[in-house]
């Protein structure tokens, strides 16, 4: 039966490096996510403004005749659509703040962990070096 404790370090004792790099790349992923959401906010904001502008132009059209009810519905639906996208912009801006807060916490945790596990990293590198030296010695003397 295989146990976690027997396999944690992985092949050639690379388990620690894998965990460390995953944590480091988590910061990059968090930044990429925040950038993506920022770009979405810009697009949604532009779209909302354009729809609001379009809704205002419908009031310039003739309110008389058979199309009057259609213009009213178009204006109302366009205003609601613009409002919905503006709400989405606000919620995405809040999400950006939360993602940035998470990223800051992640950076602090990474620094703290880096300081705490530096001795472990040194030990792992020593083990890897000794293992390579041992393997070469075995090959040379076999």
């Amino acid at each position: 039966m295989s146990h976690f404790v027997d396999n944690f370090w992985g092949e050639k004792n690379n388990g620690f490096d894998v965990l460390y790099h995953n944590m480091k790349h988590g910061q990059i992923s968090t930044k990429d996510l925040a950038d993506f959401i920022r770009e979405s906010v810009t697009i949604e904001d532009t779209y909302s403004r354009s729809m609001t502008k379009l809704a205002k132009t419908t009031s310039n059209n003739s309110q008389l005749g058979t199309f009057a009810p259609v213009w009213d519905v178009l204006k109302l639906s366009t205003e609601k659509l613009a409002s919905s996208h503006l709400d989405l912009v606000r919620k995405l801006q809040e999400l950006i703040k939360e993602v940035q807060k998470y990223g800051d916490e992640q950076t602090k945790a990474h620094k703290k962990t880096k300081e705490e596990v530096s001795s472990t990293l040194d030990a792992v590198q020593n083990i890897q070096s000794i293992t390579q030296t041992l393997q070469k010695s075995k090959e040379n003397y076999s």
Side-chain angles (χ1 to χ4, degrees), residues 111-127:
K111 286 180 182 178
K112 181 180 176 186
T113 303
K114 187 176 181 178
E115 291 171 3
E116 291 174 354
V117 298
S118 63
S119 60
T120 304
L121 179 60
D122 293 340
V124 168
Q125 289 172 345
N126 286 338
I127 290 171

Side-chain angles (χ1 to χ4, degrees), residues 15 17 19 27 37 57 79-80 86-87 90 97 110:
D17 288 333
L19 292 174
Q27 294 172 319
I37 296 170
T57 63
E79 287 172 346
K80 285 184 179 181
L86 192 57
D87 289 342
R90 289 185 191 117
K97 290 177 186 175
H110 179 71

Side-chain angles (χ1 to χ4, degrees), residues 76-89:
L76 183 63
S77 64
T78 305
E79 287 172 346
K80 285 184 179 181
L81 183 61
S83 176
S84 295
H85 282 273
L86 192 57
D87 289 342
L88 178 60
V89 166

Side-chain angles (χ1 to χ4, degrees), residues 55-87:
K56 288 179 181 177
T57 63
T58 60
S59 61
N60 296 340
N61 296 320
S62 174
Q63 296 296 319
L64 302 174
T66 58
F67 285 115
V70 174
W71 283 117
D72 290 339
V73 169
L74 283 174
K75 181 179 179 180
L76 183 63
S77 64
T78 305
E79 287 172 346
K80 285 184 179 181
L81 183 61
S83 176
S84 295
H85 282 273
L86 192 57
D87 289 342

Side-chain angles (χ1 to χ4, degrees), residues 85-103:
H85 282 273
L86 192 57
D87 289 342
L88 178 60
V89 166
R90 289 185 191 117
K91 289 182 182 189
L92 287 174
Q93 287 171 336
E94 290 173 16
L95 181 61
I96 289 172
K97 290 177 186 175
E98 290 177 24
V99 169
Q100 286 176 330
K101 181 180 175 186
Y102 173 76

Side-chain angles (χ1 to χ4, degrees), residues 3-96:
H3 295 285
F4 176 77
V5 71
D6 297 329
N7 296 297
F8 169 74
W9 292 107
E11 191 173 318
K12 297 183 181 179
N13 296 313
N14 287 330
F16 180 81
D17 288 333
V18 170
L19 292 174
Y20 187 78
H21 289 294
N22 281 345
M23 189 169 75
K24 185 176 181 179
H25 291 292
Q27 294 172 319
I28 296 168
S29 297
T30 302
K31 183 188 175 301
D32 290 345
L33 177 62
D35 291 344
F36 176 83
I37 296 170
R38 262 190 217 92
E39 186 66 27
S40 296
V41 165
T42 303
I43 292 167
E44 290 293 338
D45 188 46
T46 302
Y47 185 70
S48 174
R49 291 173 196 257
S50 297
M51 293 305 285
T52 301
K53 185 178 176 181
L54 181 63
K56 288 179 181 177
T57 63
T58 60
S59 61
N60 296 340
N61 296 320
S62 174
Q63 296 296 319
L64 302 174
T66 58
F67 285 115
V70 174
W71 283 117
D72 290 339
V73 169
L74 283 174
K75 181 179 179 180
L76 183 63
S77 64
T78 305
E79 287 172 346
K80 285 184 179 181
L81 183 61
S83 176
S84 295
H85 282 273
L86 192 57
D87 289 342
L88 178 60
V89 166
R90 289 185 191 117
K91 289 182 182 189
L92 287 174
Q93 287 171 336
E94 290 173 16
L95 181 61
I96 289 172

